[in-house]
Amino acid sequence: MRQLLCVLLFMFGFSGQAWAQMTTQEKVLSADKIENLRIKAEQGDSGSQYNLGNIYFNGHNINQDYTEAVKWYLKAAEQDHTKAQYSLGLMYAKGQGVIEDVVESGKWFVKSANQGFSYAQYCVGLMYYYGQAVSKDEAEGYFWFVLASINGDKEIVLIRDEAEAKLTPTQIAEIQKRAREWKPVVTQV
């Protein structure tokens, strides 16, 4: 249930924001534009692979196909594309195009979070805070919530504050210091 929050964040937050920021001309995806994107994706361009995954996920001027979305997200994610890793984590969390697997979901969220993607950091925080796919650790969950808020996710204040209320002042100070000193790390698949 709680990972559903991450899925909803993706479906109505992240992907919706990206779509809303596109101009009307960019939203019109002709067959030629999709084919050119596919060619770049097949040549190994991770951004094109990720975008093609989004097109299949959302069904923009193409038949919606979660299996194809996973295929292209995976290709981009294996090249350390943070948003593709996050998207793949969401697909595994919900079972869209793949069998639901919270451990596999967590693996991709962690890879994306370690590179500094705030939405993934929020999801990793949820994993630790509620003990999903990892041992429950409210302090570690709080750490990831703090990182997500430092990296731009201002919508997690309530859960961050809820987690903070369960910690001692010493724990809070140590975690906030650790978060300020944290640096993104690219992980290999």
Side-chain angles (χ1 to χ4, degrees), residues 91-172:
M91 299 290 280
Y92 277 104
K94 186 64 177 161
Q96 296 171 316
V98 292
I99 296 172
E100 184 176 333
D101 184 338
V102 294
V103 174
E104 189 70 10
S105 172
K107 175 182 107 173
W108 291 107
F109 284 146
V110 168
K111 289 180 183 307
S112 181
N114 279 332
Q115 293 185 73
F117 192 55
S118 65
Y119 292 130
Q121 291 170 334
Y122 170 70
C123 290
V124 172
L126 288 175
M127 287 169 43
Y128 279 103
Y129 189 69
Y130 294 110
Q132 296 177 317
V134 295
S135 296
K136 184 175 181 171
D137 185 337
E138 292 171 338
E140 188 66 12
Y142 176 69
F143 167 73
W144 287 101
F145 295 149
V146 170
L147 271 184
S149 64
I150 288 171
N151 288 315
D153 191 341
K154 303 301 181 202
E155 298 176 10
I156 67 158
V157 174
L158 292 176
I159 189 84
R160 184 197 63 205
D161 291 350
E162 178 184 314
E164 184 177 285
K166 296 180 178 186
L167 304 174
T168 67
T170 302
Q171 287 176 305
I172 294 167

Side-chain angles (χ1 to χ4, degrees), residues 21-181:
Q21 291 172 356
M22 294 174 74
T23 66
T24 303
Q25 186 176 12
E26 290 172 320
K27 289 180 183 178
V28 178
L29 299 170
S30 67
D32 288 341
K33 287 182 181 180
I34 292 172
E35 185 56 29
N36 288 336
L37 189 61
R38 181 183 310 283
I39 290 168
K40 289 180 184 177
E42 288 172 351
Q43 292 172 345
D45 180 70
S46 65
S48 296
Q49 292 166 341
Y50 168 71
N51 289 331
L52 196 56
N54 280 340
I55 289 168
Y56 277 108
F57 181 86
N58 293 303
H60 295 302
N61 293 3
I62 200 166
N63 289 333
Q64 187 175 42
D65 186 334
Y66 292 141
T67 302
E68 276 295 303
V70 168
K71 170 186 159 183
W72 292 108
Y73 285 150
L74 180 60
K75 288 179 182 290
E78 288 175 338
Q79 295 184 68
D80 292 319
H81 192 286
T82 59
K83 292 177 184 176
Q85 291 169 335
Y86 170 73
S87 298
L88 198 55
L90 290 170
M91 299 290 280
Y92 277 104
K94 186 64 177 161
Q96 296 171 316
V98 292
I99 296 172
E100 184 176 333
D101 184 338
V102 294
V103 174
E104 189 70 10
S105 172
K107 175 182 107 173
W108 291 107
F109 284 146
V110 168
K111 289 180 183 307
S112 181
N114 279 332
Q115 293 185 73
F117 192 55
S118 65
Y119 292 130
Q121 291 170 334
Y122 170 70
C123 290
V124 172
L126 288 175
M127 287 169 43
Y128 279 103
Y129 189 69
Y130 294 110
Q132 296 177 317
V134 295
S135 296
K136 184 175 181 171
D137 185 337
E138 292 171 338
E140 188 66 12
Y142 176 69
F143 167 73
W144 287 101
F145 295 149
V146 170
L147 271 184
S149 64
I150 288 171
N151 288 315
D153 191 341
K154 303 301 181 202
E155 298 176 10
I156 67 158
V157 174
L158 292 176
I159 189 84
R160 184 197 63 205
D161 291 350
E162 178 184 314
E164 184 177 285
K166 296 180 178 186
L167 304 174
T168 67
T170 302
Q171 287 176 305
I172 294 167
E174 289 172 358
I175 290 169
Q176 289 178 346
K177 180 180 185 292
R178 180 178 154 213
R180 283 190 306 273
E181 296 171 350

